[in-house]
Amino acid sequence: MPAIITLGPSGDTIDLMDKATHAVREGVVRIEQERVRTVNIVATRNRSLLGSSHLGRLTITLQLKLAGTSADNLITNWRDVLDKLQKARRWTLDGLGTGPCELTYQWSGATNGSTYEVLDGDFPPVPTQSILSQNRIEDTTLTLYCQPLARAAQVSQSVAATNNQTTWT
């Protein structure tokens, strides 16, 4: 089973692995964790002491290939990715939109995926006309800046209440 990678707010996602319009190169997904350290200077000593350490943002880099049936369709597919990044920015900065933009990544052969909340991202500008004439963009880099920790797929619980007794299923 191939990997599954989707991007966007719940109910408005694009499949980055559909192979027809978007394709992430296998083996080129890089996930890098940033660690933030606070150093306290101790005046009476010749060294500094580590005050605290916590996880910073997570950077996910994808090598992406875009394709379209025409140059206009290719630009539409390119703008779809930019639109998802804009929605992530608006939700992060202003709280506007339908919800957080999420990247869901399920490795090949896995039954459960991981969901990352996207805060921001970088995507290159419109490519040159010579690339557009072929109706595809090869090896463009999509960089996503995410919350430090991923979460598993959403879990639902049902509660049955009878005679003031609660049963968890």
Side-chain angles (χ1 to χ4, degrees):
M1 179 177 166
I4 299 171
I5 303 175
T6 60
L7 175 67
S10 181
D12 183 25
T13 61
I14 54 175
D15 183 2
L16 295 179
M17 292 296 286
D18 70 358
K19 304 288 188 205
T21 57
H22 305 87
V24 175
R25 284 184 51 200
E26 292 287 338
V28 199
V29 176
R30 285 194 329 249
I31 300 175
E32 299 172 358
Q33 182 71 58
E34 181 181 301
R35 191 168 257 321
V36 179
R37 293 179 172 88
T38 304
V39 177
N40 297 326
I41 305 296
V42 180
T44 59
R45 297 186 183 174
N46 291 334
R47 60 183 165 192
S48 300
L49 298 177
L50 182 64
S52 67
S53 176
H54 63 276
L55 297 175
R57 73 178 183 191
L58 189 72
T59 303
I60 300 175
T61 306
L62 307 167
Q63 287 297 110
L64 192 62
K65 180 180 101 176
L66 297 175
T69 55
S70 66
D72 290 337
N73 183 252
L74 175 62
I75 292 297
T76 300
N77 295 335
W78 178 78
R79 284 184 182 154
D80 284 345
V81 176
L82 285 180
D83 179 56
K84 301 308 179 223
L85 295 179
Q86 181 63 28
K87 287 181 179 183
R89 265 184 226 110
R90 291 191 69 201
W91 178 259
T92 302
L93 297 175
D94 303 325
L96 299 175
T98 58
C101 183
E102 298 171 336
L103 174 78
T104 303
Y105 183 40
Q106 182 174 329
W107 289 264
S108 298
T111 55
N112 296 319
S114 298
T115 301
Y116 302 89
E117 184 177 334
V118 179
L119 304 173
D120 199 357
D122 293 324
F123 199 52
V126 177
T128 63
Q129 187 63 34
S130 62
I131 295 172
L132 291 177
S133 66
Q134 300 169 10
N135 299 332
R136 69 178 184 270
I137 303 171
E138 300 283 342
D139 289 334
T140 185
T141 302
L142 172 62
T143 305
L144 303 172
Y145 305 106
C146 305
Q147 288 284 6
L149 301 174
R151 64 180 185 279
Q154 190 173 11
V155 177
S156 62
Q157 285 183 322
S158 62
V159 178
T162 55
N163 297 334
N164 294 332
Q165 295 175 347
T166 304
T167 306
W168 293 92
T169 56

